[in-house]
Amino acid sequence: MAVNSIDNPAGDAVFAAVDLGATSGRVITGHVGPGTLVLTEAHRFANTPVRLPDGLRWDVLALYQGMLDGLRAAGRGGPVTSIGIDTWAVDYGLLDADGALLGVPFHYRDERNTGVSQRMPDGCGARELYAVSGLQHLPFNTVFQLLAHRDTAQWEAARTLLLMPDLLVHWLTGTVGAEITNASTTGLFDARSGDWSDALIGRLGLARSLFPPLREPGDPAGTLLAHVAEATGLPLGTPVTTVASHDTASAVAAVPATEPDFAYVSCGTWSLAGLELDAPVLSEESRAANFTNERGVDGTVRYLRNIMGMWLLEECRRVWDREGRSLGLSGLLADAAAAEPFAAVIDPDDESFLAPGDMPARIDAYLLRTGQTPPPAPGGYVRCVLESLALAHRRTLRRAAELAGREPTRIHLVGGGSRNELLCQWTADASGLPVTAGPAEATALGNILLQARAHGLVGDLAGLRRLVARTQELRHYEPRGGRREWDRAEARLGSGQVLADL
């Protein structure tokens, strides 16, 4: 990774970011010194779910070992000032009275969540839940997972619930807490008060004692236990700092916005598209549009929708690789650019695309069901996916602006998807707004810079973002003509019946 200039008169420090995504994990160090910020990938490892007889699980012990290996590698570059951990949201581990993990954490794509939201107790329907939590309805929200977990031996023995990043912090330090940006994704967090909702927890028949005290980004989370220090080679007493542990919250913190009215798309396995607000939007219109109000840094609200993101493309590539039809990403993108525009469009959030499996076959089934012809070659599928994602970005951001009473003037597209020039340009074309793409390492940057801020090396959130804008490689895309074609494609989806001859 490149060496980037920053303003930092305060000193010299190295911060380790543990960043776990749905398909891989890595440990990245950020060396912050006078006038420089150097990001270095210390270690990368796979995150491969395991299907057991009772469901799809995360291989959390492999993730923990990968994290330890990464921290050991990070320490070889010099003293580590602090460690921060971010992961995906909603999933959790249960601890017994001795603090031991009960079983292997479930994967949010596991089928046990199917239909749970239709079996909620009285007083916990969709409207009641949204009025408190403001959370987008997704079948794998933590609140639904917990109801699926009840009436098991593990549940009877459970005394503490820790979301995935909090579980890993616990294993490093022995301390127990719940970081607030991730807690806000559970469906059991009060979007107005900024605390656990005792009312909802009680109505659901859950024990309030399961839910630990909340922590804010920047709070100290403890120091390394002796056996962890020995395993990593880091000094005993190395601090762990609470960051925005929901990876999207860290990514949004690193959006290089210098204007107040911006929209963002954090694009990886999921596309998280929305606005940053000062207060939640809890209206019935917002609930019906399925927008979420998740906590951001410094009390901000991430008003957004989850969109099935590059998962669609990666699952297609996995099938083509297995069949020996791999062209490599660059070849697939070149073929997509040459494929027929708008030959087929899908709703990325159709429930048939959620679970792992044969994604090209599922796209075929969707297209046939909606009167369209499946693409003849992989490039056509890639074009279908990317154009459909660009339409979803447009649709989501326009609706967010209407509901929040905001008019964004620019879209910041961060995360791994920012490297995809077709997706960035088509998002600009579809939306009619300029797109700034990058940084690709937004989550790790947010993690590192929130640690640096806690240690006095970076200023407020606006200053942090200006710093990112000055130092990171960004690309800019202006909207081109052809808006009517995007409008027609949107109309095909919006009609509820996609017609091949429209």
Side-chain angles (χ1 to χ4, degrees):
M1 296 180 184
V3 177
N4 303 287
S5 173
I6 68 168
D7 296 327
N8 174 30
D12 184 61
V14 173
F15 302 96
V18 178
D19 177 22
L20 302 184
T23 58
S24 67
R26 67 259 182 85
V27 176
I28 291 179
T29 58
H31 189 148
V32 182
T36 60
L37 168 64
V38 182
L39 294 185
T40 303
E41 185 175 289
H43 183 56
R44 181 179 288 269
F45 48 97
N47 182 3
T48 306
V50 179
R51 188 168 293 283
L52 298 177
D54 61 348
L56 189 64
R57 308 278 191 145
W58 295 106
D59 191 352
V60 67
L61 296 182
L63 293 176
Y64 179 64
Q65 185 60 56
M67 177 178 69
L68 295 181
D69 293 342
L71 292 175
R72 176 174 285 279
R76 295 191 190 108
V80 172
T81 301
S82 171
I83 299 163
I85 300 175
D86 68 78
T87 79
W88 65 96
V90 306
D91 290 331
Y92 60 90
L94 297 174
L95 305 185
D96 68 13
D98 295 324
L101 181 65
L102 292 163
V104 183
F106 278 99
H107 193 296
Y108 62 82
R109 296 188 192 271
D110 183 67
E111 294 177 357
R112 74 183 179 134
N113 304 318
T114 303
V116 174
S117 62
Q118 280 76 54
R119 306 194 302 269
M120 297 293 284
D122 291 342
C124 295
R127 285 181 172 81
E128 290 89 349
L129 288 176
Y130 196 85
V132 176
S133 71
L135 197 66
Q136 176 183 2
H137 177 90
L138 293 167
F140 47 73
N141 288 343
T142 313
V143 60
F144 304 137
Q145 292 200 50
L146 292 179
L147 294 185
H149 210 150
R150 291 201 306 187
D151 301 323
T152 66
Q154 287 180 0
W155 184 263
E156 291 299 318
R159 296 295 179 270
T160 305
L161 180 145
L162 294 179
L163 296 168
M164 293 300 289
D166 302 320
L167 175 63
L168 296 172
V169 167
H170 173 65
W171 282 349
L172 290 185
T173 66
T175 65
V176 169
E179 192 278 319
I180 197 166
T181 68
N182 223 343
S184 72
T185 71
T186 61
L188 297 166
F189 180 88
D190 190 314
R192 288 189 178 91
S193 71
D195 204 346
W196 293 115
S197 172
D198 291 348
L200 272 184
I201 290 169
R203 269 184 252 160
L204 289 162
L206 304 174
R208 178 62 178 83
S209 57
L210 279 171
F211 302 92
L214 292 167
R215 291 170 170 161
E216 293 273 1
D219 288 348
T223 58
L224 295 186
L225 297 168
H227 71 275
V228 176
E230 181 180 359
T232 59
L234 297 175
L236 187 64
T238 298
V240 177
T241 301
T242 304
V243 297
S245 70
H246 183 191
D247 50 10
T248 305
S250 272
V252 171
V255 165
T258 55
E259 68 282 346
D261 293 321
F262 67 91
Y264 59 81
V265 179
S266 178
C267 185
T269 299
W270 293 87
S271 272
L272 296 310
L275 309 172
E276 184 174 78
L277 304 178
D278 296 327
V281 180
L282 301 176
S283 65
E284 176 59 19
E285 275 190 306
S286 180
R287 184 199 68 80
N290 211 20
F291 275 84
T292 202
N293 295 268
E294 298 173 3
R295 189 56 63 107
V297 173
D298 294 348
T300 57
V301 172
R302 291 177 289 119
Y303 187 60
L304 58 87
R305 277 196 64 185
N306 285 40
I307 303 165
M308 210 87 70
M310 302 307 284
W311 161 260
L312 298 167
L313 178 55
E314 290 309 310
E315 281 292 281
C316 285
R317 292 182 64 197
R318 187 177 62 80
V319 171
W320 295 329
D321 288 346
R322 189 177 61 213
E323 295 173 348
R325 294 198 292 163
S326 174
L327 300 175
L329 183 57
S330 60
L332 286 170
L333 293 175
D335 287 352
E340 180 184 354
F342 308 109
V345 289
I346 62 173
D347 176 1
D349 292 324
D350 188 88
E351 62 182 11
S352 65
F353 302 136
L354 179 61
D358 188 339
M359 195 61 69
R362 293 177 183 179
I363 291 174
D364 287 351
Y366 179 98
L367 295 176
L368 292 170
R369 187 172 75 244
T370 53
Q372 302 181 83
T373 302
Y381 286 90
V382 176
R383 181 149 198 151
C384 170
V385 166
L386 296 182
E387 286 181 337
S388 298
L389 284 177
L391 282 170
H393 295 163
R394 155 184 152 143
R395 184 167 59 249
T396 301
L397 293 176
R398 284 185 174 180
R399 188 63 174 135
E402 291 171 359
L403 292 166
R406 295 275 291 273
E407 287 296 331
T409 57
R410 177 175 297 276
I411 299 171
H412 286 272
L413 200 154
V414 301
S418 68
R419 297 189 179 101
N420 191 313
E421 294 186 5
L422 290 181
L423 179 61
C424 296
Q425 183 63 62
W426 289 343
T427 296
D429 295 344
S431 67
L433 292 174
V435 169
T436 295
E441 301 291 349
T443 299
L445 276 168
N447 182 321
I448 286 164
L449 291 174
L450 287 170
Q451 291 184 69
R453 187 175 81 157
H455 287 76
L457 303 181
V458 180
D460 62 10
L461 183 58
L464 187 155
R465 287 174 168 156
R466 288 193 297 270
L467 174 65
V468 175
R470 290 198 305 271
T471 63
Q472 300 305 299
E473 181 180 350
L474 307 175
R475 296 188 307 279
H476 303 281
Y477 299 84
E478 292 296 325
R480 303 173 301 192
R483 292 280 299 284
R484 290 186 63 188
E485 293 179 330
W486 291 99
D487 292 343
R488 290 193 192 101
E490 183 68 51
R492 291 161 66 183
L493 283 173
S495 69
Q497 183 178 13
V498 182
L499 302 176
D501 60 350
L502 191 61

